[in-house]
């Protein structure tokens, strides 16, 4: 029996479709020439600086859920429109609103004196008139975990890990684990309040805030970070072996739910406008500084890079989507909301890279993509090399803080790693202000994003984004 021509044709179509799926993703030579031009234009551009200056001066600190949060959204919508983005819209993001009103701490005995501290995000308030209790100190989260309840009940728990030092391997991850886990653990054992050493390397008396999290069923307690010199002072007192009594007065806490928004601006692609490169930064900041390095710079870098692409005589095939994410600081709310509402069509987000580690130079690129797209990433990395950016071909790249949630639902990720030597001393402190942002490294960032975004948007083939593609294995 002769096979039916229709069946033969169907078989051919299926095989061809499979081959197309497995075909390597490529970057056309013509695109590399345009990318080189973009790189040079970015290195002379001032838009990222103007956006960073504008947002930090005209809005200032942007605590999620505050009046300034709403002003920042209006500011960003107007900015995208003024820059000629083709489509500008918002998507709602809901979260518990936390407010900070005042904070004060002092040693009552044995040697009365004030201490510099700041409440952590989602800290509870102390009772009216403040709280007075003895301090029990621990050297680590594990030591607190091992401690008996009666050593903790009614006391102020202090965890004094060694001061952060990236070079010595005492990194941000280690310290922020104490910040996120410590208060809940202490509350579960009956502590009256929780203090930790600031998660930062700085020697100023400016404490370092950040979010904490109370497990379900655990009562929120007052939780705050001492500046590094104040943590040193408290530790010297504890080492003297006498009881150390503190008074804390923190007026802060959760005031209901708030609905903010991710603010989104898009530059439409030439031939596949429904597919897009996903980029951006977070629009919110902590309230202590003006959020210049964390993360006005990230919003500015990615917006400026998209604008340079919009100004090309010929648009790339795909769109460039810039998201100014809502409330990253208190728990990646904007990124999670984006991942949730776009998860079914995540294949359209061909590749993503967010800027959220300050404004200093990008030193390294990494990516997590399907194997057939690795050659295309090699070409993107080669186009970034003239900017002094190294390529670690084996290391993963989830795309950045907010995009980690989007990556987890299946978006391929590209990570442009910045030099964070200076960043950790400033972010989350009152010192996060515009004077820390320098024009030349900012331009290098814009150049890197413009090159990577343009080349990915012009690629023939995809990078492997699809629902569940890069699902994390349970640890
Ligand atoms: Zn940030």
């Amino acid at each position: 029996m002769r096979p039916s021509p229709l069946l033969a044709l169907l078989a051919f179509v299926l095989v061809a479709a499979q081959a197309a799926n497995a075909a390597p993703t490529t970057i056309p030579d013509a695109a590399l020439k345009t990318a080189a031009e973009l790189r040079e234009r970015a290195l002379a551009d001032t838009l990222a600086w103007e956006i960073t200056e504008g947002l930090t001066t005209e809005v200032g600190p942007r605590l999620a859920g505050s009046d300034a949060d709403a002003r920042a959204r209006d500011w960003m919508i107007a900015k995208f429109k003024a820059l000629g983005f083709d489509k500008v819209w918002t998507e709602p993001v809901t979260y518990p609103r936390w407010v900070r009103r005042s904070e004060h701490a002092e040693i009552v005995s044995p040697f009365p004196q004030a201490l510099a501290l700041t409440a952590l995000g989602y800290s509870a308030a102390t009772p009216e008139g403040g709280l007075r209790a003895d301090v029990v100190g621990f050297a680590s989260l594990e030591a607190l975990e091992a401690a008996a309840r009666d050593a903790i009940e009614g006391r102020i728990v202090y965890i004094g890990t060694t001061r952060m030092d990236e070079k010595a391997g005492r990194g941000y991850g280690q310290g922020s684990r104490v910040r996120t886990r410590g208060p809940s653990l202490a509350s579960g054992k009956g502590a009256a309040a929780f203090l930790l050493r600031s998660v930062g390397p700085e020697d100023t008396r400016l404490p370092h805030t950040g979010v904490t999290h109370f497990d379900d069923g655990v009562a929120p307690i007052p939780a705050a970070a001492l500046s590094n010199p104040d943590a040193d002072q408290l530790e010297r007192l504890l080492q003297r072996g006498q009881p150390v009594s503190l008074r804390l007065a923190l007026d802060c806490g959760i005031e209901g739910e708030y609905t903010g928004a991710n603010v989104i601006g898009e530059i439409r692609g030439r031939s596949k406008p429904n597919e897009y490169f996903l980029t951006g930064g977070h629009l919110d900041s902590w309230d202590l500084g003006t959020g210049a390095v964390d993360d006005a710079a990230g919003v500015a870098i990615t917006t400026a890079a998209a604008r340079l692409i919009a100004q090309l005589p010929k648009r790339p095939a795909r769109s460039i989507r810039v998201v100014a994410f809502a409330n990253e600081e208190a728990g990646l709310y904007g990124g999670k909301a984006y991942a949730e509402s776009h998860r079914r069509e995540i294949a359209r987000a061909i590749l993503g890279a967010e800027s959220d580690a300050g404004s200093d130079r990008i030193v390294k690129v990494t990516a997590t993509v399907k194997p057939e797209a690795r050659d295309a990433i090699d070409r993107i990395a080669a186009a970034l090399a003239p900017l002094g950016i190294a390529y670690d071909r084996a290391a993963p790249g989830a795309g950045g803080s907010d995009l980690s949630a989007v990556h987890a639902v299946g978006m391929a990720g590209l990570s442009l790693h910045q030099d964070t030597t200076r960043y950790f001393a400033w972010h989350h402190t009152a010192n996060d202000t515009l004077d820390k942002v320098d024009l030349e490294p900012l331009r290098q960032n814009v150049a890197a994003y413009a090159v990577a975004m343009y080349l990915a948007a012009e690629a023939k083939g995809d990078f492997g984004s699809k629902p569940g593609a890069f699902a994390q294995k349970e640890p």
Side-chain angles (χ1 to χ4, degrees):
M1 197 178 94
R2 279 171 55 104
S4 116
L6 194 63
L7 276 179
L9 179 65
L10 187 64
F12 171 78
V13 168
L14 283 174
V15 168
Q18 261 171 357
N21 238 352
T25 302
T26 58
I27 306 278
D29 288 338
L32 291 171
K33 188 170 161 288
T34 305
E37 291 163 10
L38 269 176
R39 195 171 62 215
E40 295 316 306
R41 278 175 46 219
L43 293 175
D45 197 57
T46 54
L47 180 58
W49 169 262
E50 288 156 20
I51 294 173
T52 312
E53 193 269 351
L55 189 56
T56 56
T57 307
E58 295 165 18
V59 181
R62 303 173 297 285
L63 186 67
S66 66
D67 291 347
D69 181 306
R71 285 194 286 123
R73 288 199 301 278
D74 291 344
W75 192 96
M76 200 62 218
I77 291 166
K79 181 58 70 179
F80 278 141
K81 287 182 176 167
L83 292 172
F85 278 65
D86 300 306
K87 196 179 161 202
V88 181
W89 74 100
T90 62
E91 296 181 359
V93 181
T94 300
Y95 48 85
R97 172 167 64 179
W98 181 81
V99 300
R100 183 201 313 276
R101 282 175 288 260
S102 65
E103 44 202 20
H104 176 80
E106 64 196 279
I107 298 164
V108 180
S109 72
F111 308 117
Q113 56 193 291
L115 290 172
L117 96 179
T118 192
L120 304 179
Y122 291 138
S123 164
T126 51
E128 198 139 348
L131 171 162
R132 185 182 164 163
D134 284 356
V135 179
V136 53
F138 297 95
S140 67
L141 207 52
E142 291 68 28
L144 172 60
E145 255 160 7
R149 187 183 174 94
D150 61 4
I152 290 167
E153 204 153 25
R155 301 204 176 162
I156 297 169
V157 165
Y158 168 74
I159 296 189
T161 47
T162 319
R163 190 183 292 203
M164 179 182 160
D165 181 349
E166 282 286 342
K167 290 191 191 81
R170 292 189 294 272
Y172 189 66
Q174 190 185 341
S176 54
R177 202 173 141 259
V178 173
R179 189 186 73 219
T180 50
R181 297 285 312 124
S184 188
L185 192 57
S187 176
K189 294 189 178 210
F194 178 88
L195 297 176
L196 81 157
R197 172 183 285 279
S198 279
V199 187
E202 66 272 32
D203 55 10
T204 69
R205 290 192 77 181
L206 300 178
H208 178 121
T209 190
V211 75
T212 191
H213 169 79
F214 292 93
D215 293 341
D216 287 344
V218 174
I221 54 172
L226 292 165
S227 83
N228 272 313
D230 289 83
D232 295 342
Q233 184 80 325
L234 179 60
E235 286 176 24
R236 278 190 295 271
L237 284 170
L238 289 169
Q239 278 159 13
R240 278 166 161 71
Q242 299 165 261
V244 177
S245 177
L246 302 189
R247 196 181 82 85
L248 301 180
L250 306 182
D251 185 4
C252 58
I254 291 173
E255 281 192 348
E257 281 214 320
Y258 180 86
T259 298
N262 289 330
V263 180
I264 307 173
E266 189 164 272
I267 300 294
R268 277 180 79 73
R270 176 182 84 241
S271 55
K272 294 180 178 173
N274 291 334
E275 296 180 13
Y276 59 92
F277 188 103
L278 183 59
T279 190
H282 62 87
L283 191 56
D284 69 305
S285 78
W286 285 110
D287 50 334
L288 305 175
T290 60
V293 300
D294 189 12
D295 183 29
V299 171
I301 287 161
T302 53
T303 300
R307 168 86 177 322
L308 285 173
I309 292 172
Q311 290 172 326
L312 289 170
K314 188 177 153 196
R315 292 281 177 86
R318 300 180 181 88
S319 299
I320 308 293
R321 184 176 291 187
V322 182
V323 183
F325 285 101
N327 199 357
E328 186 270 352
E329 293 295 1
L332 307 177
Y333 284 99
K336 287 174 181 168
Y338 190 93
E340 192 47 46
S341 57
H342 295 270
R343 64 191 307 155
R344 277 188 292 281
E345 33 157 84
I346 204 63
R348 291 184 188 174
I350 56 146
L351 190 62
E354 179 185 20
S355 172
D356 183 19
S359 54
D360 281 341
R361 293 179 70 85
I362 294 169
V363 292
K364 186 173 73 175
V365 57
T366 63
T368 297
V369 298
K370 68 178 185 179
E372 298 83 3
R374 185 48 68 175
D375 290 355
I377 298 294
D378 291 352
R379 286 204 113 177
I380 292 173
L384 295 173
L387 294 166
I389 298 173
Y391 176 34
D392 186 342
R393 201 173 193 268
S401 55
D402 278 295
L403 293 190
S404 62
V406 189
H407 179 62
V409 299
M411 181 193 68
L414 183 80
S415 292
L416 295 165
H417 306 263
Q418 287 164 290
D419 175 354
T420 53
T421 312
R422 306 197 300 167
Y423 176 73
F424 284 109
W426 298 327
H427 85 138
H428 296 198
T429 77
N431 249 337
D432 182 358
T433 48
L434 185 66
D435 54 311
K436 314 306 184 302
V437 178
D438 295 329
L439 179 61
E440 292 314 314
L442 199 64
R443 284 172 159 164
Q444 186 252 14
N445 275 263
V446 176
Y449 275 88
V451 165
M453 283 163 24
Y454 176 78
L455 291 177
E458 246 329 60
K460 303 270 182 264
D462 67 296
F463 292 86
S465 295
K466 63 176 180 186
F470 304 102
Q472 306 284 307
K473 289 180 191 73
E474 289 299 319

